[in-house]
């Protein structure tokens, strides 16, 4: 169908109208006659007919439909465009900056640094890359006063988190006399000290709280010469027992990695989507209020939707046993740092029921057990005590 056609009604029912169409070579389609003629013709032909007969357009087609729609709704469309433009400007403007520190001097320092980098209220929000560059620049320019800084965007608000650099006070406290004691029971496998006196050696069994490296420097048996801050490392074999239950039939929740940001307007309690509409029963949703002002008739929300899926497992006894061992190991490994590891494991108990399996696993673990503690004083009567 031609992009410039219209359907019209002609308030005429005589054959004279048909003769008029033929005489003026006016091509028409879908001609019907009831009390009046209804037909589809080119818009230019419509203008000719309307000069002779009483007519009315009842439907537009193609580009003529678009032109008519724009003309009829121009004021609404202009208002909608202006509203979206204002909304865009508002949602990309900083309305508040929170600098989270009680140090007035540091607050002023960071506030001035932000202004130097064009971050202040009623300014345009920065992109992620721009924020990163600004954070690195502020940190570099204030490295004597600042240990760490983070600028987090929440709606139209910037929250500035920071950590001041601590100088001499902390350094002095490092020299306070201290002992290194056992944080748990264990069998020492490695011990070294750069300051203080070792009271234990490899293959010594120690109890939690026992002094491993003393900060007391003793001459002979009883004479205290000085006290230092004990420094060193102590690794020991320590022991754990882990109980794990694995059902033969279970469901795991797994995130797919797909994240949808849904922005919508709340007008009188009703949602009007701007972008990112996504309907699913398999999403975890969090909602943040982005914009709310007393002079606006709407609220702007951002709804973050994280998609997930359920994975069903139906396993046999052997698979359940392997899964239980894997989970028990992961439970231990989650507690370990660098240079710490599992020495060995042994299943102490295995119970199989109709729908599940229980196992109890004993672990030997190579772990750092040396922690600093207040100095142990010398007691003339009872020897060394806490």
């Amino acid at each position: 169908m031609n992009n410039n056609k219209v359907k019209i009604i002609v308030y005429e029912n005589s054959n004279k109208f048909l003769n008029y169409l033929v005489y003026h070579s006016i091509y028409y389609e879908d001609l019907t006659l009831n009390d009046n003629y209804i037909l589809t013709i080119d818009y230019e032909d419509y203008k000719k007919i309307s000069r002779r007969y009483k007519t009315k357009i009842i439907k537009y087609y193609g580009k003529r439909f678009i032109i008519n729609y724009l003309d009829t709704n121009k004021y609404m469309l202009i208002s909608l465009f202006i509203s979206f433009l204002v909304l865009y400007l508002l949602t990309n403007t900083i309305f508040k900056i929170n600098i989270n520190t009680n140090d007035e001097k540091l607050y002023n320092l960071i506030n001035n640094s932000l202004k130097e980098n064009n971050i202040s209220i009623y300014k345009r929000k920065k992109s992620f890359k721009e924020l990163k560059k600004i954070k690195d620049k502020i940190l570099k320019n204030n490295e004597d006063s600042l240990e760490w800084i983070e600028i987090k965007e929440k709606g139209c608000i910037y929250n500035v988190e920071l950590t001041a650099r601590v100088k001499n006070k902390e350094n002095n406290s490092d020299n306070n006399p201290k002992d290194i004691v056992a944080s748990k029971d264990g069998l020492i496998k490695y011990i070294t000290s750069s300051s203080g006196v070792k009271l234990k050696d490899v293959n010594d069994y120690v109890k939690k709280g026992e002094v491993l490296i003393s900060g007391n420097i003793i001459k002979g048996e009883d004479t205290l010469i000085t006290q230092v801050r004990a420094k060193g490392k102590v690794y020991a074999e320590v022991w754990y027992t882990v109980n794990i239950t694995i059902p033969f039939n279970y469901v795991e929740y797994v995130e797919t990695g797909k994240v949808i940001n849904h922005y919508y307007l709340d007008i009188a309690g009703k949602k009007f989507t701007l972008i990112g509409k996504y309907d699913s029963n398999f999403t975890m949703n969090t909602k943040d209020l982005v914009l709310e002002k007393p002079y606006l008739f709407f609220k702007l929300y951002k709804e973050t939707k994280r998609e997930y899926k359920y994975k069903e497992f139906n396993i046999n006894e052997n698979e359940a046993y392997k899964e239980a061992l894997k989970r028990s190991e992961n439970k231990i490994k989650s507690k370990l740092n660098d240079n710490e590891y599992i020495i060995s494991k042994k299943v102490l108990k295995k119970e199989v029921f109709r729908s599940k399996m229980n196992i109890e696993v004993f672990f030997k673990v190579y772990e750092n057990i040396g922690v600093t503690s207040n100095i142990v004083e010398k007691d003339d009567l009872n020897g060394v005590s806490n």
Side-chain angles (χ1 to χ4, degrees):
M1 184 173 284
N2 194 297
N3 285 333
N4 200 37
K5 289 199 171 186
V6 292
K7 179 176 280 191
I8 67 171
I9 183 170
V10 181
Y11 298 100
E12 176 68 39
N13 58 11
S14 69
N15 290 332
K16 290 181 180 180
F17 175 67
L18 292 177
N19 294 332
Y20 174 83
L21 295 177
V22 173
Y23 180 79
H24 289 87
S25 302
I26 296 176
Y27 176 78
Y28 57 86
E29 297 175 358
D30 304 328
L31 178 68
T32 60
L33 174 62
N34 193 356
D35 293 330
N36 304 286
Y37 284 101
I38 297 176
L39 65 160
T40 302
I41 59 172
D42 189 84
Y43 184 75
E44 295 301 321
D45 290 333
Y46 155 73
K47 290 195 289 186
K48 295 177 185 177
I49 295 172
S50 63
R51 288 194 288 266
R52 176 75 177 269
Y53 295 95
K54 183 180 179 182
T55 61
K56 180 182 177 182
I57 297 176
I58 56 177
K59 190 173 182 179
Y60 293 86
Y61 296 99
K63 68 178 183 181
R64 180 56 55 184
F65 170 80
I66 297 172
I67 293 170
N68 179 70
Y69 181 83
L70 293 176
D71 184 61
T72 305
N73 299 282
K74 59 185 175 184
Y75 297 112
M76 182 196 72
L77 293 172
I78 291 171
S79 298
L80 192 60
F81 173 77
I82 293 173
S83 297
F84 276 106
L85 179 61
V86 171
L87 180 62
Y88 174 79
L89 294 173
L90 290 174
T91 55
N92 284 276
T93 302
I94 305 168
F95 285 100
K96 189 176 182 182
I97 299 175
N98 297 322
I99 302 175
N100 298 316
T101 179
N102 293 323
D103 187 329
E104 185 177 351
K105 185 177 179 181
L106 186 59
Y107 177 93
N108 292 331
L109 176 67
I110 299 303
N111 191 40
N112 291 333
S113 296
L114 292 173
K115 288 180 179 178
E116 289 172 3
N117 289 279
N118 206 30
I119 294 181
S120 60
I121 59 172
Y122 308 126
K123 294 284 188 178
R124 180 184 63 84
K125 290 196 294 186
K126 305 297 181 184
S127 68
F128 178 82
K129 289 184 178 180
E130 288 175 321
L131 279 180
K132 188 177 185 305
K133 288 181 180 179
I134 290 170
K135 287 186 294 184
D136 292 342
K137 182 179 178 182
I138 292 175
L139 195 59
K140 184 177 180 181
N141 292 341
N142 301 281
E143 56 185 10
D144 293 337
S145 305
L146 201 59
E147 184 75 33
W148 170 82
I149 184 171
E150 181 64 44
I151 304 174
K152 297 179 180 179
E153 178 185 325
K154 185 175 182 182
C156 296
I157 300 173
Y158 276 169
N159 291 310
V160 183
E161 307 288 344
L162 50 88
T163 302
R165 185 176 294 279
V166 180
K167 300 180 182 178
N168 296 328
K169 287 184 179 179
E170 186 175 348
N171 294 333
N172 292 335
S173 65
D174 285 345
N175 295 321
N176 292 338
K178 295 282 183 179
D179 285 330
I180 292 180
V181 303
S183 61
K184 57 191 70 177
D185 298 352
L187 183 67
I188 294 177
K189 292 296 183 181
Y190 175 85
I191 182 168
T192 182
S193 69
S194 57
S195 177
V197 178
K198 288 195 298 182
L199 302 184
K200 301 293 180 180
D201 211 337
V202 173
N203 293 326
D204 284 347
Y205 172 76
V206 296
K207 300 284 287 181
K208 179 180 178 179
E210 273 194 77
V211 179
L212 309 177
I213 303 174
S214 175
N216 287 325
I217 307 299
I218 307 294
K219 182 179 180 180
E221 294 186 0
D222 301 318
T223 306
L224 178 65
I225 297 177
T226 187
Q227 291 181 319
V228 299
R229 184 180 183 88
K231 297 179 181 179
K233 292 183 179 180
V234 184
Y235 287 88
E237 177 189 302
V238 296
W239 310 281
Y240 295 97
T241 300
V242 177
N243 290 284
I244 295 290
T245 299
I246 298 292
F248 294 132
N249 301 297
Y250 62 94
V251 175
E252 274 191 3
Y253 157 84
V254 181
E255 286 196 18
T256 65
K258 183 176 182 180
V259 179
I260 301 96
N261 291 320
H262 175 213
Y263 289 87
Y264 66 89
L265 299 178
D266 184 317
I267 302 176
K270 294 185 178 180
K271 287 185 179 181
F272 296 87
T273 294
L274 298 179
I275 55 172
K277 185 174 177 59
Y278 184 79
D279 293 325
S280 172
N281 294 325
F282 302 101
T283 58
M284 298 281 289
N285 302 338
T286 55
K287 185 172 73 171
D288 293 307
L289 179 61
V290 177
L291 181 64
E292 180 184 22
K293 295 295 178 183
Y295 50 80
L296 296 176
F297 63 91
F298 60 83
K299 297 177 185 178
L300 176 64
Y301 283 95
K302 175 186 177 183
E303 188 176 34
T304 302
K305 300 186 174 187
R306 299 183 182 276
E307 187 181 56
Y308 66 89
K309 63 182 179 180
Y310 285 114
K311 189 174 182 180
E312 295 185 4
F313 292 88
N314 298 300
I315 58 178
N316 57 34
E317 181 180 328
N318 183 51
E319 291 170 330
Y321 181 70
K322 291 179 180 178
E323 180 65 22
L325 285 179
K326 178 183 173 182
R327 292 191 187 186
S328 64
E329 285 189 20
N330 289 340
K331 191 170 183 180
I332 295 297
K333 288 177 180 178
S334 66
K335 302 177 181 180
L336 304 182
N337 299 319
D338 294 341
N339 302 321
E340 298 178 334
Y341 56 87
I342 296 172
I343 299 171
S344 65
K345 64 178 181 291
K346 181 179 180 181
V347 178
L348 301 179
K349 184 168 63 175
K350 174 183 173 183
E351 297 176 317
V352 180
F353 301 96
R354 177 177 296 179
S355 62
K356 63 182 180 179
M357 173 186 290
N358 296 337
I359 69 169
E360 185 177 288
V361 188
F362 174 76
F363 288 91
K364 292 181 180 180
V365 180
Y366 185 80
E367 190 173 333
N368 183 3
I369 65 166
V371 295
T372 56
S373 178
N374 291 331
I375 202 82
V376 173
E377 302 294 342
K378 180 74 176 175
D379 189 298
D380 292 331
L381 296 176
N382 301 318
V384 177
S385 62
N386 286 326

